Amino acid sequence: MASLIRLSISLDSFDSIPTRNPNSKPHLRTSKPHLRTSKPTLPTPNKSHIKTDFKFSNASFRALTNKQDWKAAEKLVRQMILASDSSEPLTYHVFNTLIYACSKRGLVKLGSKWFKMMLDCSVTPNMATFGMLMRLYQKTCNVEEAEFAMSEMKRFGIVCESAYSSMITIYTRLGLYEKAESVIELIKTQVIVLNVENWLVILNAYCQQGKMVEAERVLLRMEVEAGFCINNVVVYNTMITGYGKASNMDGAESVFSSLGLRGIEPDETSYRSMIEGWGRATNYEKARWYYDELKRLGFKPNSSNLFTMIKLQANKGDFEGVVGTVDDMVRCGCHYSSIISTLVSVYESAGKVHELPRLLKGSFYRHILVNQSCCSTVVMAYVKNKLVEDALRVLSDKKWKDSRYEDNLYHLLICSCREEGLLEDAVGIYKQMTETDDNEKKLNKHIVCTMIDIYSVMGRFKDAEMLYHKLKTSSSSNSLDMIAFSIAVRMYVRAGSLKDACSVLDDIDKRPDIVPDMFLLRDMLRIYQRCNMVDKLEKVYCKISKDRVNWDQEVYNCVLNCCAQALPVDELSRLFDEMLQRGFVPNTITYNVMLHVFGKAKLFKKVERLYCMARKQGLVDVITYNTIIATYGKSKDFSNMSRTVHKMQFDGFSVSLEAYNSMLDAYGKDGQMNAFRSVLQRMKESNCASDLYTYNTIINIYGEQGWIEEVADVLAELNECGLQPDLCSYNTLIKAYGIAGMVEESVNVIREMRKNGIEPDHKTYTNLIEALKRNDKFLEAVKWSLWMKQMKL
């Protein structure tokens, strides 16, 4: 008996539990009260409760249910309801007849309808009513209706053993094991003597969970307490399945071996359960032995066995074994589509899709070529596993014709390649698609947009732009949608062609039917900011500010970062406060932009408040300090500027070149030359290399002081560093020479600029004219002024 206390069964085995009859074997007969059958018997209707004027009888309802004339049946029921009175009330007999017919045919909705009509008419159900209903719900695992029926059974105080069994079975099949165990506890308290079906479903509920301690306890009670003779193969199969789910195959083997000792022949379910158990334990040799025995005995493997064997063989690398199992699937009547899907699923899980082309040949390959569903399954698996050549071969050989389905398939393949980073393969798939298109059919907008994006990522902007223009010219004027425009905008942004991006945005403005989403609106803001299009920024802001309910954190940050130059300070401040009130967090860039805005407006209290907020949130960077230092420098607030430099160093940041440049400019323009030289000295000691802006600042300050010799030294140092003067450098030199009274050198600077390929601007000539005036060269100044007018400068 000890070897029996370890087993399991699948739920489906209960559908095959034999019904007891007078001709059944002796050990299945139920001479004891606790082994009585739970199948409800339909009571004989009491016709005395029905008015003879209408001549209603059970025979009438049976005739109608046999013809499935449910409307006529409902009409008769309603007539009976009207005919019934207090002396002859309507009873459960009629409704049970209808529910029985629905239970036989599996008509859940109709059966529930009769039951609810029964309750609405205040007709009290009997035990047979609930037994038939729960059997019906068990067939379809309709848990909601079953729970309702059980609650009504409890309300009427009726105890139906088969109803409890059905409820446990439904919960077990759906994996609702806690609820199943709660029903088990309930049945123990309400049913005095459990019948065979009760014991079996309780055993099954524990075995399906792999709770073999509880299952063994139930098995012991079945034999000892209830006196149930367990020489029934169903019980053993149940326990075998349970041990398999508990990964205790030694227990399963023990139970299987004990079958022969008890004189019981294992059936096909026994072998199937052993195959599944060893398959779950990934023991290919054991599973294969039971699989071969199953076939030798003339039994057929079920679909689960076939899947288990193919999975084990694929993982083991037994190619010949897989071929044999596939032949078994064909002999068992499995459809080619099902076999192909199984093979793809198994080999994808095993990471061996590269072996599929060897399997999917002959009749399978021919089926793939004519069945578009199988074809798409296979080529998608090939592409996902980087077997693009095999996928292209299948697509080239395919026989089915469905242009719409084909376009969707190609699009899925291209998108899959893009997600996997196989951009060249995506291009190859697209080229094959266009090559096989003999009639040059209308371009698929979605595929073209995807390819534009792929070409953009690859840096092939000419190909991307060509596709965009092809899409525009080959389609109607209103065919391009928001997605197409968005992809075109991003293509030009990636290419660095902001002018072309703006032209696409202009096309969008001309289309009132196009409503940009937030992603496109943010792209518009960024592009207009980079192009310094203040009017466009204001227009976009006005459009999106009408509905700020849908703004998220990204939108607030983008608007504040991009519209700082287009909106008044008060509006920006209000927008920033609104963002904080809604619980959104500004990013570092937003903090730096707002620091610049408030600093430029000389709102130093707000600058300090923002700095403290950013520092508290850990969003302070070098640019933050550079912005604050420049703000105080331009306002000649030297104490706060120096204090910020110390904070910068205290927080672990080295003083940046930008910070040194801001201090040089501030001290120099204020004439604090000692502080100016001190900053230069600190800059050299920190090994901070100067840039062109630094040299231009020094030239400008020395020029303002009239220190032309120092200017010459700076120019020499500039040449030694390998830096070439830019337009700003030359303009500064002209101004310096004018202050120093060196007019000829100022004119020579313009000649040098042109020689070096730098075209003078309005500032250049203005500085030259000022230099001439400063040195009493009025006639020359007038000549240059007239020349500027002629050149429309």
Side-chain angles (χ1 to χ4, degrees):
M1 184 62 197
S3 63
L4 289 178
I5 307 191
R6 305 185 275 207
L7 297 109
S8 169
I9 187 173
S10 66
L11 283 165
D12 295 334
S13 62
F14 285 118
D15 295 332
S16 60
I17 294 176
T19 304
R20 289 184 296 276
N21 56 69
N23 298 322
S24 60
K25 293 182 180 180
H27 67 270
L28 289 179
R29 290 184 180 176
T30 56
S31 59
K32 299 178 183 180
H34 61 267
L35 295 181
R36 67 184 183 278
T37 179
S38 61
K39 183 176 180 181
T41 57
L42 191 65
T44 304
N46 187 349
K47 297 183 181 180
S48 63
H49 292 290
I50 304 173
K51 289 190 176 182
T52 55
D53 293 343
F54 294 97
K55 299 181 181 179
F56 293 146
S57 68
N58 265 347
S60 301
F61 284 103
R62 285 173 183 168
L64 290 173
T65 56
N66 287 335
K67 293 189 297 182
Q68 298 190 55
D69 191 350
W70 306 111
K71 289 185 178 180
E74 183 178 357
K75 184 177 180 181
L76 285 176
V77 170
R78 296 195 181 279
Q79 288 178 358
M80 291 184 69
I81 294 170
L82 294 174
S84 64
D85 52 31
S86 59
S87 60
E88 295 183 357
L90 196 62
T91 63
Y92 57 78
H93 299 89
V94 170
F95 290 103
N96 280 2
T97 302
L98 295 169
I99 292 172
Y100 175 71
C102 293
S103 181
K104 281 176 56 180
R105 293 176 172 81
L107 304 175
V108 176
K109 289 185 178 180
L110 201 56
S112 300
K113 176 183 176 181
W114 300 128
F115 180 57
K116 289 172 183 175
M117 185 182 293
M118 185 180 190
L119 298 177
D120 292 340
C121 296
S122 301
V123 176
T124 302
N126 69 344
M127 186 174 66
T129 309
F130 291 106
M132 291 184 293
L133 279 172
M134 292 303 293
R135 286 291 183 188
L136 173 61
Y137 298 145
Q138 178 182 329
K139 290 179 183 178
T140 56
C141 282
N142 193 317
V143 67
E144 293 182 2
E145 294 292 349
E147 288 177 338
F148 173 73
M150 289 296 291
S151 66
E152 290 299 310
M153 189 176 82
K154 183 178 179 181
R155 184 169 69 88
F156 284 109
I158 297 173
V159 175
C160 178
E161 295 95 331
S162 64
Y164 286 116
S165 296
S166 297
M167 194 72 251
I168 295 170
T169 303
I170 292 170
Y171 282 144
T172 305
R173 286 179 178 174
L174 295 176
L176 304 172
Y177 299 118
E178 291 184 4
K179 288 189 174 183
E181 291 187 29
S182 68
V183 179
I184 292 173
E185 295 301 319
L186 183 64
I187 196 174
K188 289 178 182 178
T189 60
Q190 293 193 356
V191 180
I192 299 175
V193 180
L194 301 182
N195 61 31
V196 176
E197 186 182 25
N198 297 148
W199 284 115
L200 289 176
V201 295
I202 293 172
L203 181 68
N204 183 62
Y206 289 124
C207 287
Q208 288 297 316
Q209 303 177 69
K211 291 185 174 182
M212 299 314 296
V213 175
E214 291 83 349
E216 290 165 357
R217 190 179 299 121
V218 171
L219 189 66
L220 184 63
R221 289 183 61 196
M222 286 173 67
E223 188 171 33
V224 177
E225 296 181 21
F228 174 48
C229 181
I230 61 171
N231 286 347
N232 188 334
V233 72
V234 174
V235 176
Y236 288 89
N237 292 343
T238 304
M239 295 295 285
I240 289 172
T241 302
Y243 282 121
K245 287 184 178 289
S247 300
N248 182 1
M249 289 310 297
D250 291 337
E253 285 280 3
S254 177
V255 172
F256 187 86
S257 301
S258 67
L259 286 172
L261 299 176
R262 288 182 171 266
I264 303 173
E265 285 294 327
D267 63 2
E268 60 182 349
T269 303
S270 309
Y271 286 98
R272 288 173 178 177
S273 299
M274 291 301 294
I275 294 168
E276 293 305 304
W278 284 118
R280 193 176 289 109
T282 65
N283 190 321
Y284 175 50
E285 287 74 19
K286 288 283 188 179
R288 183 59 188 259
W289 187 87
Y290 280 101
Y291 183 76
D292 291 339
E293 281 295 299
L294 177 75
K295 293 195 296 180
R296 187 183 66 81
L297 293 171
F299 298 132
K300 283 188 177 182
N302 60 18
S303 58
S304 181
N305 296 151
L306 294 167
F307 180 83
T308 297
M309 290 306 300
I310 285 183
K311 185 176 180 181
L312 290 172
Q313 289 160 344
N315 288 322
K316 197 74 175 177
D318 184 0
F319 184 81
E320 296 300 325
V322 172
V323 173
T325 305
V326 169
D327 290 340
D328 291 341
M329 294 177 78
V330 174
R331 282 192 290 269
C332 288
C334 296
H335 296 291
Y336 275 22
S337 299
S338 175
I339 297 172
I340 292 168
S341 297
T342 299
L343 288 172
V344 171
S345 173
V346 166
Y347 275 89
E348 273 195 310
S349 300
K352 297 180 180 180
V353 177
H354 60 277
E355 294 183 6
L356 274 178
R358 284 201 301 159
L359 277 170
L360 300 178
K361 56 185 182 181
S363 57
F364 287 105
Y365 189 67
R366 289 191 293 272
H367 182 80
I368 290 169
L369 297 183
V370 298
N371 186 291
Q372 58 193 42
S373 177
C374 285
C375 182
S376 60
T377 299
V378 171
V379 296
M380 282 295 294
Y382 285 163
V383 168
K384 285 180 181 178
N385 291 274
K386 303 181 181 179
L387 302 174
V388 179
E389 291 184 2
D390 293 295
L392 292 177
R393 177 174 58 84
V394 174
L395 290 172
S396 178
D397 295 343
K398 69 177 180 61
K399 305 298 182 183
W400 53 270
K401 297 289 183 182
D402 187 337
S403 58
R404 188 171 184 180
Y405 189 94
E406 185 178 4
D407 281 351
N408 290 333
L409 176 58
Y410 272 109
H411 193 204
L412 282 173
L413 295 174
I414 291 170
C415 290
S416 180
C417 287
R418 180 180 62 180
E419 291 172 2
E420 297 293 329
L422 307 174
L423 303 184
E424 290 291 348
D425 291 333
V427 173
I429 292 171
Y430 176 72
K431 285 183 177 179
Q432 173 157 316
M433 185 193 77
T434 54
E435 288 171 1
T436 56
D437 186 7
D438 301 327
N439 300 323
E440 193 65 24
K441 63 182 179 183
K442 184 179 178 181
L443 289 174
N444 185 296
K445 179 172 57 180
H446 304 294
I447 296 176
V448 172
C449 288
T450 303
M451 289 308 303
I452 291 171
D453 187 58
I454 289 172
Y455 280 134
S456 300
V457 173
M458 297 173 70
R460 296 172 58 173
F461 297 111
K462 287 185 179 179
D463 293 325
E465 188 175 33
M466 181 187 69
L467 279 181
Y468 174 60
H469 288 306
K470 191 175 182 180
L471 188 63
K472 284 180 66 177
T473 56
S474 64
S475 306
S476 62
S477 58
N478 292 330
S479 64
L480 293 177
D481 57 9
M482 184 196 65
I483 295 175
F485 280 121
S486 298
I487 290 174
V489 168
R490 291 174 188 176
M491 171 192 69
Y492 284 123
V493 170
R494 284 195 186 109
S497 180
L498 296 181
K499 183 179 178 182
D500 290 320
C502 289
S503 68
V504 177
L505 295 179
D506 290 338
D507 292 339
I508 295 175
D509 286 338
K510 296 173 185 176
R511 291 276 303 277
D513 58 310
I514 299 293
V515 180
D517 61 3
M518 277 300 176
F519 295 101
L520 181 55
L521 288 169
R522 278 154 47 187
D523 286 341
M524 294 168 71
L525 290 172
R526 295 185 186 105
I527 292 168
Y528 290 145
Q529 180 209 19
R530 292 172 63 181
C531 295
N532 198 27
M533 295 181 174
V534 177
D535 294 341
K536 294 282 189 180
L537 285 171
E538 291 178 352
K539 184 178 177 181
V540 175
Y541 175 73
C542 290
K543 181 186 294 185
I544 66 175
S545 63
K546 294 177 181 178
D547 181 19
R548 286 214 283 269
V549 176
N550 297 322
W551 282 27
D552 58 10
Q553 185 168 292
E554 292 298 323
V555 176
Y556 274 105
N557 280 316
C558 183
V559 170
L560 289 169
N561 296 340
C562 297
C563 297
Q565 57 183 329
L567 300 179
V569 178
D570 292 342
E571 178 67 11
L572 290 169
S573 179
R574 187 179 63 79
L575 197 61
F576 184 81
D577 291 338
E578 181 182 290
M579 179 183 184
L580 297 177
Q581 289 170 6
R582 293 188 63 183
F584 297 132
V585 180
N587 56 32
T588 301
I589 298 174
T590 304
Y591 273 119
N592 292 340
V593 168
M594 293 306 298
L595 284 170
H596 176 74
V597 168
F598 290 148
K600 189 176 179 181
K602 298 184 178 181
L603 301 172
F604 299 117
K605 289 184 178 180
K606 290 191 174 184
V607 168
E608 189 65 25
R609 182 174 71 91
L610 246 64
Y611 166 73
C612 292
M613 287 174 59
R615 191 180 185 190
K616 186 177 181 180
Q617 294 174 359
L619 298 175
V620 170
D621 62 0
V622 174
I623 298 174
T624 307
Y625 288 105
N626 291 341
T627 304
I628 298 173
I629 291 168
T631 295
Y632 286 131
K634 289 176 181 177
S635 301
K636 297 183 179 182
D637 189 345
F638 300 109
S639 61
N640 277 324
M641 183 177 72
S642 299
R643 185 166 57 86
T644 305
V645 172
H646 290 306
K647 284 182 181 180
M648 185 179 190
Q649 292 175 308
F650 181 79
D651 287 343
F653 295 100
S654 299
V655 181
S656 63
L657 175 63
E658 290 77 10
Y660 279 122
N661 287 341
S662 296
M663 289 188 285
L664 288 172
D665 186 69
Y667 287 126
K669 287 182 177 178
D670 197 53
Q672 299 185 37
M673 298 311 295
N674 290 333
F676 182 86
R677 291 191 179 95
S678 175
V679 172
L680 275 177
Q681 185 62 33
R682 285 161 54 193
M683 191 174 175
K684 290 178 181 179
E685 291 174 355
S686 65
N687 295 321
C688 184
S690 302
D691 62 357
L692 197 56
Y693 184 87
T694 310
Y695 287 112
N696 289 342
T697 300
I698 297 172
I699 292 171
N700 182 53
I701 298 304
Y702 285 163
E704 290 284 351
Q705 297 294 322
W707 297 352
I708 201 64
E709 292 181 3
E710 284 79 355
V711 170
D713 292 338
V714 174
L715 288 172
E717 186 178 341
L718 185 65
N719 290 327
E720 289 177 4
C721 294
L723 297 174
Q724 296 295 325
D726 61 358
L727 179 62
C728 181
S729 305
Y730 285 120
N731 289 345
T732 305
L733 269 176
I734 292 171
K735 182 179 178 182
Y737 284 137
I739 293 173
M742 302 169 66
V743 180
E744 291 183 5
E745 283 76 1
S746 297
V747 177
N748 290 335
V749 168
I750 293 181
R751 295 194 185 98
E752 184 181 341
M753 290 174 67
R754 288 174 174 162
K755 182 180 178 182
N756 293 332
I758 298 176
E759 192 64 29
D761 65 352
H762 182 273
K763 184 72 173 176
T764 308
Y765 294 114
T766 301
N767 286 352
L768 178 60
I769 292 170
E770 288 296 324
L772 292 170
K773 286 182 180 180
R774 182 187 293 271
N775 292 279
D776 298 329
K777 301 288 186 177
F778 296 106
L779 182 60
E780 292 295 326
V782 170
K783 288 180 180 180
W784 279 103
S785 179
L786 292 173
W787 183 83
M788 286 179 66
K789 288 182 180 180
Q790 289 177 354
M791 298 300 294
K792 296 182 180 179
L793 295 174

